[in-house]
Amino acid sequence: MTFARPDHTSDLDTLPQMPAWVTSARAETLEDVAFLSGAALNHLHLVLGCVEVPQALLRDRLALRAAEACMAFSGRPERAGELRDAVHLMRPGDLPGPAGEVYQSWRRAAGRPVTVKALGWALPAVVPAQIAAWIDAGQGALVARAATVLETVLTEAPRQEVPALILADAALAQALGWDHLVPLLAAGQKRADLRKRGDDFRLACHRAVISSAIEAVRQAADLARRAAHLKAVAPKLRAKGAGDAVEMFLTRDAVAPSALPLPDRAARRLCDRLVDLGAVHELTGRDTFRLYGV
């Protein structure tokens, strides 16, 4: 996405922090919660404008968080580890399974600029004309617009939480002038929230945005530091294709050695080297079928 870079973001230590009055406020009325959600989104907008933040990686990690929330909504047991395995350990011709499909939908939705065509690729079961109609149903500003889209989809297509939440985040991104969808609404919702309607529903959406924006800002700062370290150690890597491999780590939540543009043994050695340098982490705790991420 394209933002103007704030002048005060030349150093990682000066990435703007979410104000304490946003993170600690306990607003109860719709008016007060709407004010706080707007403040949280404005701050997130500033943080996303910092060139130090690896935006594609942040969106991919938030997509995992959104997919995990959707698993909880549907009563399924899969969490982050299982979702990563379902998608990142697939071989050509494999199917991701229901949980993997949800995770893929979120990754695809967040991975391309927001358009009806891109959303259709993320949600192949929904026809483009319906996607366009649902997004256009949004009224009001920012969160109110997203909440209208979410409520409309859930009313017309009950139990379609994944398309509803993706399209609501798309409407929010458009309202904010963002090029890409940033997964926010799903992770901040409770299962019971999705059954609410009217002001209660909008109140839940505002609260979801506040909590998710706070977490997104925290993750942005953490990933900015980690990405800076990975870039700093990259010149020490001698393997052919190491530069392309580093770029993959800077844009993906998790990477399997087999996905790297190196022979299998060289890919595993590169991952071990990056772990030794503290630039990436092994995510599974396994001795085989490992996944790595910043």
Side-chain angles (χ1 to χ4, degrees), residues 118-241:
L119 292 169
W121 182 59
L123 301 169
V126 185
V127 297
Q130 182 64 80
I131 290 173
W134 275 335
I135 290 181
D136 287 344
Q139 299 177 0
L142 301 182
V143 180
R145 177 177 173 182
T148 300
V149 172
L150 181 56
E151 187 173 17
T152 299
V153 179
L154 290 176
T155 300
E156 297 181 6
R159 295 183 296 279
Q160 294 299 310
E161 292 90 353
V162 175
L165 288 160
I166 286 176
L167 295 179
D169 274 330
L172 182 60
Q174 289 181 336
L176 285 159
W178 293 350
D179 295 336
H180 287 76
L181 177 157
V182 178
L184 293 175
L185 279 161
Q189 297 274 5
K190 298 177 182 177
R191 189 175 184 178
D193 291 336
L194 299 178
R195 295 193 292 269
K196 296 176 180 177
R197 292 295 179 265
D199 285 350
D200 288 341
F201 185 74
R202 284 185 283 277
L203 189 68
C205 288
H206 282 293
R207 286 177 170 154
V209 165
I210 294 168
S211 63
S212 290
I214 291 170
E215 174 61 17
V217 168
R218 186 198 66 77
Q219 287 204 28
D222 181 55
L223 291 176
R225 288 189 292 269
R226 294 175 182 270
H229 181 54
L230 176 56
K231 292 176 183 177
V233 305
K236 299 179 182 180
L237 306 174
R238 297 288 181 258
K240 184 178 180 180

